Amino acid sequence: MGKGGKPDGGDGFEEASRDGCEQENMAAWLLGVNTLKIQPFKLPNLGPRDVLVRLKAVGICGSDVHHFKNMRCADFVVKEPMVIGHECAGIVEEAGSEVKHLVPGDRVALEPGINCKRCELCKQGRYNLCPEMKFFGSPPTHGCLANQVVHPGDLCFKLPNNVSLEEGAMCEPLSVGVHACRRANVGPETNVLVMGAGPIGLVTLLAARAFEAPRIVVADVNDQRLSVAKALGAHEIVKVSTNIEEVAEEVVKIKEAMGTRVDVSFDCAGFNKTMATALSATGSGGKVCLVGMGQRELTLALTSAAAREVDVIGIFRYTNTWPLCLELLRSSKVDVKPLITHRFGFSQKEVEKAFETSAGGGSAIKVMFNL
C-alpha cells in the first residue's frame, strides 16, 4: 500500500520511518465499515523533491464518507487498513534539497494526487486520468488525516497571507467546481443550472460565479441547503423531489426560474432523477456535466438529448487548479468560509463524531478537523 507521500524520483515508498516520527506521527486509520482508529503512521524518507508537512486543517469529503460507510467509493475498494482523508493544508517543517520554492514555516495547501508524469495522459496535461495516480485516501494509497505527511514539493502551494489554512484545505473541493466549469466552458454568456446543493454543488455554484456566469439556478430537495445556495449567490433556487415521475413539471419550474435558456447544467448529485432533469432542462446545443457520483450506474433516456445535440461530459477530479483557487480566495472572488459548518479536534472521540456528523447530513456541509 502506498504511503502518505511519494517523492518524485525519491525513495518515499521505503518502509523505514523518519527518525523521531514513528512515535509522534498519528493518523486516522479506516479499519472496517464505520470503524476508524487513531494509530501510529510511519512516514517515508524525505526525498530531495519532497517536503514534510505538519497538517493543520483537514476536511471530510463525500468520498471519505463513502469509504467509511461502505469500504468503497465507486470502483475504489478498501481492501486493507488505510489512512483516510485528502482535503488538507499545513505548515512545512522540512524541505528536500531540491525544493527551492518552499522553506520551513511556509503555510501550504496540498494537491492530493501524485501522477506518473510519463504516460500519454500526463504528457497531454490530463494527469487526473493517469492510470498510475496515487491519490491521498483513495485505496490503496494512504491519506492525510494525520499529524504529518511527506508529499512532493511541486504539489504543495504556498498560501497567500490573507488565506487561512482552513481555506487552503478547501482548495480541494473548490478545485472540483473549477475543473467542472473549465470542462463546460462556463463564461459571461453561460447560464448555469446546478442540480444538488451539497458541498460539491455549492462549490460549483461559487466557481460558476467566479467564471462570471450571468445567471445561476440551483435545485435541491433540501430547503436548508437551498437557503445556503441563495446566500452564496444563486440567482434563483428551485425545490425538487426525489420522484422521477415529476421531472417534466420540475423542468418547467427550472426554466421559469432561469428566465432564459439553460446553457450548461451540472449534475452534482449523480442520480437518475437529477441527470434526467439536467438533460431535459438544458437547451439545444448545450452541455450537461456529470459531477456527482450518487449512483454507480445510471439508466437514462438519451435520444431526445442527442437529437438536440446536448453534449454530456464527465469530470474526474481536476488538473492545475490550485493556483487559480488560491487566487480566487486571495482576491475574495470566492468565499468558502460559510461552507465550513462543523469543526473537530484530532482525538479518537472527535474523529468518530466528525464522521458521524458528516455522514448524517442535516445542517453539515463541510466538516473540518483542526489539528
Side-chain angles (χ1 to χ4, degrees), residues 50-68:
D50 299 331
V51 291
L52 174 67
V53 179
R54 181 166 292 277
L55 283 313
K56 292 296 184 181
V58 179
I60 297 179
C61 175
S63 62
D64 296 323
V65 173
H66 277 292
H67 287 133
F68 174 65

Side-chain angles (χ1 to χ4, degrees), residues 115-124 126-127 129-132:
N115 60 299
C116 77
K117 297 182 171 64
R118 299 182 301 274
C119 70
E120 287 302 313
L121 288 164
C122 285
K123 291 177 181 178
Q124 292 168 11
R126 305 187 73 178
Y127 64 83
L129 304 177
C130 174
E132 296 182 32

Side-chain angles (χ1 to χ4, degrees), residues 3 34 47 71 75 89 96 141 147 164 186 192 209-210 219 229 237 254 282 307 317 328:
K3 298 298 180 282
N34 296 330
M71 295 294 282
D75 294 328
T141 306
N147 298 131
S164 71
V186 172
V192 168
R209 280 177 51 82
I237 54 176
I254 287 168
T282 303
R317 296 172 181 157
L328 293 175

Side-chain angles (χ1 to χ4, degrees), residues 221-297:
V221 300
N222 184 289
D223 286 317
Q224 189 267 335
R225 295 202 170 193
L226 284 172
S227 67
V228 173
K230 186 68 173 177
L232 291 175
H235 297 93
E236 295 291 342
I237 54 176
V238 177
K239 177 76 174 290
V240 293
S241 74
T242 57
N243 184 359
I244 200 164
E245 300 297 326
E246 297 179 6
V247 166
E249 62 185 82
E250 290 174 357
V251 167
V252 172
K253 290 165 57 178
I254 287 168
K255 289 182 176 180
E256 289 176 349
M258 184 65 75
T260 184
R261 83 179 237 118
V262 177
D263 298 301
V264 170
S265 293
F266 294 104
D267 181 0
C268 297
F271 293 97
N272 285 330
K273 166 75 187 303
T274 51
M275 195 62 177
T277 304
L279 288 167
S280 296
T282 303
S284 297
K287 296 183 179 69
V288 174
C289 184
L290 179 57
V291 183
M293 296 191 298
Q295 292 178 225
R296 290 187 63 202
E297 295 183 355

Side-chain angles (χ1 to χ4, degrees), residues 8 69 107 163 189 228 232 317 358:
D8 183 16
K69 301 295 290 185
R107 300 177 313 124
V163 174
E189 298 181 347
V228 173
L232 291 175
R317 296 172 181 157
S358 187

